[in-house]
Amino acid sequence: MTPEIETIKVPTKLAQQYYKEVFDPAELISIIGLTTFYKREFAFLLEDGNFVRNTSFKSSDDLIKFLTTNPIRRSYVGAVYETPPTKNNTIQRIKWVSREFCFDLDLNDYDLVRSCGCQGKEQYCIICWSLVQDAAAFLDKTLKEDFGYKKIVWVFSGRRGFHGWVQDKGAGILSQEQRNSIINYLTIIKDEKRTQAVEKDLKHVIPLRDRILEMIAKAFFAHANDKELKAEPFNFTKDQITKLRYNLERGSQPFSKTYDIILERKQDRDAIFTRIIQHRYPRIDRKVSIDIRRILKIPGSVQDTNGRICCRVDIKKIHKFFPENSPTIWELLS
């Protein structure tokens, strides 16, 4: 059965009560820092549908005062600027200083390959949720091992995915061009919405290829049934499937070695590898990562459609986290 993500709108009065009695700005400050807090842009979706940007606060107390006295549906935080953003001193007119290198993983970006029957923003199940769990784990490891980043925080988006915040100082001052270069390195699916074309020859990107086999391919085969493995492009024999299952459950060697041993010469390795990438490789929202003026939901804020809190998630326990593990506003105020 497919669980549906609730679409109940949280009353703004209830949200105000949450921000007054429960919300702890320390969680937000631990991610974005305190020294430049007053020069951060904040943005808000109001109850009447108006979207307010170019807002800044001298302190976290002022932010809480705003949250508790205005009809807020959703709250966002953006970049640091040379001077505090205001209606008369907009982000288009002032110098940009920094913004964490951020990643947005959204489950409905996988709609073309969700084989469980779930679709869109309102549905998820344990099978398709593993797609964003795997994506977060893969990106975290790749950013740390290939780019040397050490401080990465993952936050449940409140609904259908995760937000990654790279906190390293060097990451915050990356230009759009530099961010674009890193995203290009991480991007393998050329056109996620239509053709699903894989654009890179990964034989020449050994660290990424081996990591894909170890983390993405292993997950793909763990979820694939015998019928899928016997069909194109795999054409696995019964003996191959038996060896695969054994190694997935009990194998002690790296899965990349298991993969190379199990596949036979006659099998189309490129087609198999392409299918794995198309079905399980991370879908990254390029604009969120590259655009230095992009905003993301405030960690600790309320998702207005279901009342869940955008809470921090331990990357080491990412595969044990599901949306229902996030507390709701009703639970916290009871």
Side-chain angles (χ1 to χ4, degrees):
M1 183 176 179
T2 299
E4 291 202 357
I5 299 177
E6 306 95 324
T7 55
I8 302 170
K9 285 187 178 180
V10 176
T12 53
K13 289 292 184 182
L14 190 67
Q16 289 173 346
Q17 183 184 351
Y18 164 79
Y19 289 118
K20 182 179 181 180
E21 299 178 9
V22 180
F23 177 71
D24 185 357
E27 180 69 15
L28 169 64
I29 291 171
S30 71
I31 295 176
I32 68 171
L34 182 61
T35 56
T36 57
F37 186 91
Y38 72 103
K39 293 191 286 187
R40 284 270 180 181
E41 183 201 12
F42 287 84
F44 305 93
L45 175 63
L46 303 181
E47 187 175 33
D48 60 8
N50 285 326
F51 201 84
V52 179
R53 292 197 64 167
N54 296 296
T55 305
S56 56
F57 302 97
K58 292 181 179 179
S59 67
S60 59
D61 287 341
D62 289 339
L63 168 62
I64 291 177
K65 183 178 179 180
F66 185 90
L67 291 169
T68 56
T69 56
N70 288 277
I72 307 296
R73 284 181 56 191
R74 296 179 195 172
S75 309
Y76 302 85
V77 62
V80 176
Y81 294 87
E82 194 170 49
T83 57
T86 65
K87 290 181 180 179
N88 297 321
N89 193 35
T90 66
I91 61 173
Q92 287 76 25
R93 299 173 61 183
I94 53 180
K95 184 180 179 181
W96 175 90
V97 174
S98 67
R99 194 205 73 159
E100 293 77 13
F101 192 18
C102 296
F103 292 82
D104 182 14
L105 301 174
D106 200 323
L107 185 58
N108 61 290
D109 287 336
Y110 293 82
D111 279 356
L112 286 175
V113 295
R114 285 207 265 179
S115 58
C116 54
C118 298
Q119 289 287 296
K121 301 176 181 179
E122 307 302 328
Q123 296 181 327
Y124 75 93
C125 68
I126 192 172
I127 296 173
C128 63
W129 186 253
S130 68
L131 292 167
V132 287
Q133 291 172 321
D134 289 346
F138 181 86
L139 287 176
D140 189 85
K141 191 174 182 67
T142 301
L143 290 167
K144 288 175 179 175
E145 294 188 357
D146 293 7
F147 296 95
Y149 292 129
K150 297 178 180 179
K151 299 178 180 179
I152 305 175
V153 173
W154 290 93
V155 178
F156 171 52
S157 68
R159 195 174 193 182
R160 56 184 182 273
F162 298 106
H163 294 157
W165 298 71
V166 182
Q167 296 178 287
D168 297 65
K169 287 185 178 180
I173 58 175
L174 289 173
S175 66
Q176 289 197 162
E177 291 74 19
Q178 291 169 323
R179 293 168 196 249
N180 186 58
S181 295
I182 294 175
I183 296 303
N184 283 341
Y185 173 80
L186 295 169
T187 300
I188 297 176
I189 299 175
K190 188 175 182 180
D191 186 352
E192 297 174 1
K193 301 298 182 183
R194 288 168 288 180
T195 65
Q196 296 283 296
V198 175
E199 66 174 350
K200 286 185 178 178
D201 179 4
L202 292 177
K203 293 176 183 177
H204 304 297
V205 190
I206 300 301
L208 203 54
R209 179 184 182 275
D210 288 348
R211 194 174 299 118
I212 288 171
L213 289 177
E214 200 59 43
M215 301 180 73
I216 304 299
K218 187 175 183 179
F220 176 89
F221 286 118
H223 285 86
N225 58 44
D226 289 4
K227 184 178 180 181
E228 291 176 281
L229 296 177
K230 290 177 181 178
E232 294 284 349
F234 304 100
N235 298 312
F236 275 20
T237 64
K238 186 176 180 180
D239 183 54
Q240 282 179 301
I241 294 175
T242 300
K243 289 180 180 178
L244 175 67
R245 300 294 183 213
Y246 177 85
N247 278 278
L248 284 171
E249 294 175 9
R250 305 178 187 179
S252 58
Q253 66 181 0
F255 186 76
S256 55
K257 290 186 178 180
T258 298
Y259 176 86
D260 288 330
I261 291 171
I262 289 177
L263 291 188
E264 298 176 353
R265 287 186 179 181
K266 64 181 180 180
Q267 289 169 309
D268 190 337
R269 289 174 177 255
D270 287 343
I272 291 173
F273 198 60
T274 296
R275 176 67 64 86
I276 292 168
I277 290 171
Q278 288 173 333
H279 281 252
R280 290 204 78 88
Y281 192 79
R283 265 79 168 157
I284 302 170
D285 188 323
R286 294 179 63 91
K287 292 181 180 179
V288 170
S289 297
I290 297 170
D291 186 353
I292 56 177
R293 288 180 169 78
R294 185 63 61 136
I295 54 177
L296 273 183
K297 286 179 189 170
I298 291 179
S301 64
V302 181
Q303 170 63 33
D304 67 310
T305 56
N306 58 25
R308 295 203 178 276
I309 307 303
C310 300
C311 60
R312 187 189 290 232
V313 180
D314 184 347
I315 191 62
K316 295 178 181 178
K317 301 177 182 178
I318 196 78
H319 287 96
K320 295 181 179 180
F321 181 89
F322 297 89
E324 55 267 26
N325 296 136
S326 170
T328 68
I329 189 172
W330 297 281
E331 293 169 345
L332 294 173
L333 290 174
S334 62

